[in-house]
Amino acid sequence: MGEQHQELFSAIDMPNTYLGLDLSTQQLKGVIVDENLNKLFEASVHFDLELQEFHTHGGVLRDKENPREVTAPTVMWVKALDVLLDKLQVCGADLNTVAAISGSGQQHGTVYWTNGSHKTLKSLDPSGFLHTQLASCFSIVNSPVWMDSSTTKQCKKLEKSVGGAQELAELTGSKAYERFSGPQIAKIAENRPGAYQNTERISLVSSFACSLFLGAYAPIDWSDGSGMNLMDIKTKKWSEKCLEACASDLESRLGSTIPSGTELGQISNYYVERFGFNSKCRVVSFTGDNPASLVGLCLRKNDVAISMGTSDTLFLSLSEPKNLTEGHVLASPINNDAYMVLLCFKNGSLTRERIRNHYANGSWDEFNTLLERTPKGNFGYIGLYFDEQEILPWVQGDYKFDKNGVQMEKFPSREIEIKALVEGQFIAKRAHAEQLGFIIGPETRIIVTGGASANSTLLQILSDVFNAPVYTQEGANSAVLGAAYQAKHGIMRNQNSGGDFFHSVVNTVKPAKLACSPHKDAYETYTPMVVQYNNIMKQILSNGTK
Ligand code: 5FX
């Protein structure tokens, strides 16, 4: 620890702890770790179950007339924080020991603070709930979130303004994606000009949550800011052309960008008085959930992370920015000069649950038993299931094919159906990763995180499809752990006492554990199926979905 910090807490003879939060699609989680990054306390608030008054399904609201429009009630997130901090106290956490807080949020979602809200944020009354005090602070009541896919028109305009999709990818790290914040803001400015005019600040979900702790608007960090189609991925500054193409006077509403893991200041007095935090507790910038997961997994050079949650994502570290046709390049949350690649598949756990409910009576045990009944490769049957408009590739619906590539209505049995889903999801991940130039080699390790990482039957299939060993990190939820690690790393970096991430985090965290290795015949089975997937996808896309 740095001197200043050590003095603060040793004076009151208490160990330092670090609080990490993750404001994800379906819940808000919090974890407190000790100086050695061991988990001490954790709590969560499930939006659908515990905040039923907001009527969300899977944490979101879908517009009845336009199901591609997906939002979440911003005040629900605020209320979740009230409840979470109470829960942490009830489970015995002494919040006075928290030396620093950081967090992660679902990426791309935007929060619109109404004119004058900075004053409310600054003068929160500790005797009242956060959510009642902030209830009228949002000029857009329901924040657009990453599941939204209603901004194709704005995406086209944005790409055109910089000379095309590839030019936008070169500039911002991604071609225009419907869920990215720039097109989302553009749609709000266009369709709800009054509300846009009445907005003094636009936050990402991560910087919004950070602002609640700071009692002031928190800047957007480089890593999460890369998911907006607005930031120059090399200079890390807002691109004027992109801002202009999206909305007028946008720069003043976005504020500045900052390196990930920057220490921003002291916690707001509200939390000191109401929850017993130490007034010297520091707030470290929050970031996106995928960058935070990269921190939590301590990814090494030849590692590929696969996160299986509401969305399935695949990510890896990169030393130079790469020009991609699909997927995203983001600034690294760990190293200001490095990058990460991210692929996002929207149809993750909710699709797996739908098939489980339909074919395995809602039981994971039955699902796993059925999975083990068919051989690797599923007799050549491939199933691709996109309940929601998929991001990568841009398709929707269920697609079933036999070994000859002939499309079918129905598979012959439920075990084939289930295997087709799981293999199809993993084959798609490998195919898209390979399309980016990723090569699976003898050193490759797949590090798995997210809810599904506890299912060893799924992990074995993943290992076989990638023909690489699969590892899991203890504590499963890497985003919230990554946020807690970032809290510690952030203050250490600021105090120049072991600013190196490897020193402060990687060497402290227990290494990932081997969960399974590929079978000998895995490569021969799945390599042709990846080719088959690519052909099927060409066929589906040429039949015209976008
Ligand atoms: C990444 O680009 C995504 O859109 C999702 O993984 C969200 O971050 C989920 F929270």
Short mmCIF file of all heavy atoms in Angstrom, two decimals, residues 162 171 230 232 237-247 251:
data_model
loop_
_atom_site.label_atom_id
_atom_site.label_comp_id
_atom_site.label_asym_id
_atom_site.label_seq_id
_atom_site.Cartn_x
_atom_site.Cartn_y
_atom_site.Cartn_z
N VAL A 162 -18.15 9.25 -41.98
CA VAL A 162 -16.68 9.13 -41.92
C VAL A 162 -16.12 8.42 -43.15
O VAL A 162 -14.94 8.07 -43.19
CB VAL A 162 -16.21 8.40 -40.63
CG1 VAL A 162 -16.56 9.20 -39.40
CG2 VAL A 162 -16.75 6.99 -40.54
N LEU A 171 -11.26 4.12 -37.22
CA LEU A 171 -11.24 5.28 -36.34
C LEU A 171 -11.64 4.93 -34.90
O LEU A 171 -10.96 5.31 -33.94
CB LEU A 171 -12.21 6.34 -36.90
CG LEU A 171 -12.39 7.64 -36.15
CD1 LEU A 171 -11.08 8.43 -36.15
CD2 LEU A 171 -13.48 8.50 -36.82
N LEU A 230 -17.71 6.57 -30.85
CA LEU A 230 -17.50 8.02 -30.77
C LEU A 230 -16.06 8.41 -30.46
O LEU A 230 -15.66 9.54 -30.65
CB LEU A 230 -18.40 8.64 -29.68
CG LEU A 230 -19.91 8.58 -29.89
CD1 LEU A 230 -20.65 9.17 -28.70
CD2 LEU A 230 -20.32 9.31 -31.17
N ASP A 232 -11.92 8.15 -30.69
CA ASP A 232 -10.80 7.74 -31.55
C ASP A 232 -9.99 6.71 -30.76
O ASP A 232 -9.46 7.02 -29.68
CB ASP A 232 -9.96 8.99 -31.89
CG ASP A 232 -8.81 8.66 -32.83
OD1 ASP A 232 -8.19 7.60 -32.66
OD2 ASP A 232 -8.52 9.49 -33.70
N LYS A 237 -9.46 10.29 -27.72
CA LYS A 237 -10.25 11.53 -27.60
C LYS A 237 -11.52 11.35 -28.41
O LYS A 237 -11.57 10.52 -29.33
CB LYS A 237 -9.45 12.71 -28.16
CG LYS A 237 -8.20 13.00 -27.37
CD LYS A 237 -7.81 14.46 -27.52
CE LYS A 237 -6.81 14.90 -26.49
NZ LYS A 237 -5.57 14.15 -26.47
N TRP A 238 -12.53 12.15 -28.11
CA TRP A 238 -13.76 12.08 -28.90
C TRP A 238 -13.44 12.46 -30.34
O TRP A 238 -12.66 13.38 -30.58
CB TRP A 238 -14.82 13.03 -28.36
CG TRP A 238 -15.24 12.77 -26.94
CD1 TRP A 238 -15.20 13.64 -25.90
CD2 TRP A 238 -15.78 11.54 -26.40
NE1 TRP A 238 -15.66 13.04 -24.75
CE2 TRP A 238 -16.02 11.74 -25.02
CE3 TRP A 238 -16.07 10.29 -26.94
CZ2 TRP A 238 -16.54 10.77 -24.18
CZ3 TRP A 238 -16.58 9.30 -26.11
CH2 TRP A 238 -16.81 9.54 -24.76
N SER A 239 -14.05 11.74 -31.28
CA SER A 239 -13.87 12.11 -32.69
C SER A 239 -14.92 13.15 -33.04
O SER A 239 -16.11 12.89 -32.94
CB SER A 239 -14.04 10.85 -33.56
OG SER A 239 -14.58 11.23 -34.81
N GLU A 240 -14.44 14.33 -33.47
CA GLU A 240 -15.38 15.43 -33.78
C GLU A 240 -16.38 15.02 -34.84
O GLU A 240 -17.57 15.29 -34.73
CB GLU A 240 -14.60 16.63 -34.26
CG GLU A 240 -14.36 17.61 -33.13
CD GLU A 240 -13.47 18.75 -33.54
OE1 GLU A 240 -13.73 19.31 -34.63
OE2 GLU A 240 -12.54 19.05 -32.78
N LYS A 241 -15.87 14.31 -35.87
CA LYS A 241 -16.75 13.90 -36.97
C LYS A 241 -17.88 13.01 -36.46
O LYS A 241 -19.03 13.16 -36.85
CB LYS A 241 -15.94 13.10 -38.00
CG LYS A 241 -15.33 13.92 -39.08
CD LYS A 241 -14.86 12.99 -40.17
CE LYS A 241 -14.00 13.74 -41.16
NZ LYS A 241 -13.22 12.85 -41.99
N CYS A 242 -17.52 12.08 -35.59
CA CYS A 242 -18.54 11.14 -35.09
C CYS A 242 -19.55 11.87 -34.20
O CYS A 242 -20.75 11.63 -34.29
CB CYS A 242 -17.90 10.00 -34.31
SG CYS A 242 -16.86 8.98 -35.34
N LEU A 243 -19.04 12.76 -33.36
CA LEU A 243 -19.95 13.51 -32.47
C LEU A 243 -20.93 14.29 -33.32
O LEU A 243 -22.15 14.25 -33.08
CB LEU A 243 -19.17 14.48 -31.57
CG LEU A 243 -18.22 13.89 -30.52
CD1 LEU A 243 -17.68 15.01 -29.64
CD2 LEU A 243 -18.88 12.84 -29.66
N GLU A 244 -20.40 14.99 -34.33
CA GLU A 244 -21.27 15.82 -35.18
C GLU A 244 -22.33 15.00 -35.89
O GLU A 244 -23.46 15.42 -36.04
CB GLU A 244 -20.44 16.54 -36.23
CG GLU A 244 -20.05 17.94 -35.80
CD GLU A 244 -18.96 18.48 -36.67
OE1 GLU A 244 -18.94 18.20 -37.89
OE2 GLU A 244 -18.08 19.19 -36.10
N ALA A 245 -21.92 13.79 -36.32
CA ALA A 245 -22.87 12.96 -37.06
C ALA A 245 -23.99 12.45 -36.15
O ALA A 245 -25.06 12.08 -36.62
CB ALA A 245 -22.14 11.78 -37.69
N CYS A 246 -23.75 12.44 -34.85
CA CYS A 246 -24.76 11.87 -33.94
C CYS A 246 -25.70 12.91 -33.35
O CYS A 246 -26.91 12.70 -33.32
CB CYS A 246 -24.08 11.09 -32.81
SG CYS A 246 -23.37 9.55 -33.42
N ALA A 247 -25.17 14.01 -32.85
CA ALA A 247 -26.05 15.00 -32.20
C ALA A 247 -25.31 16.31 -32.03
O ALA A 247 -24.07 16.33 -31.98
CB ALA A 247 -26.49 14.47 -30.84
N GLU A 251 -20.29 16.98 -27.21
CA GLU A 251 -19.06 16.90 -26.41
C GLU A 251 -19.28 17.41 -24.99
O GLU A 251 -18.85 16.79 -24.01
CB GLU A 251 -17.93 17.68 -27.10
CG GLU A 251 -16.62 17.49 -26.35
CD GLU A 251 -15.40 17.75 -27.20
OE1 GLU A 251 -15.54 18.23 -28.34
OE2 GLU A 251 -14.29 17.45 -26.71
#
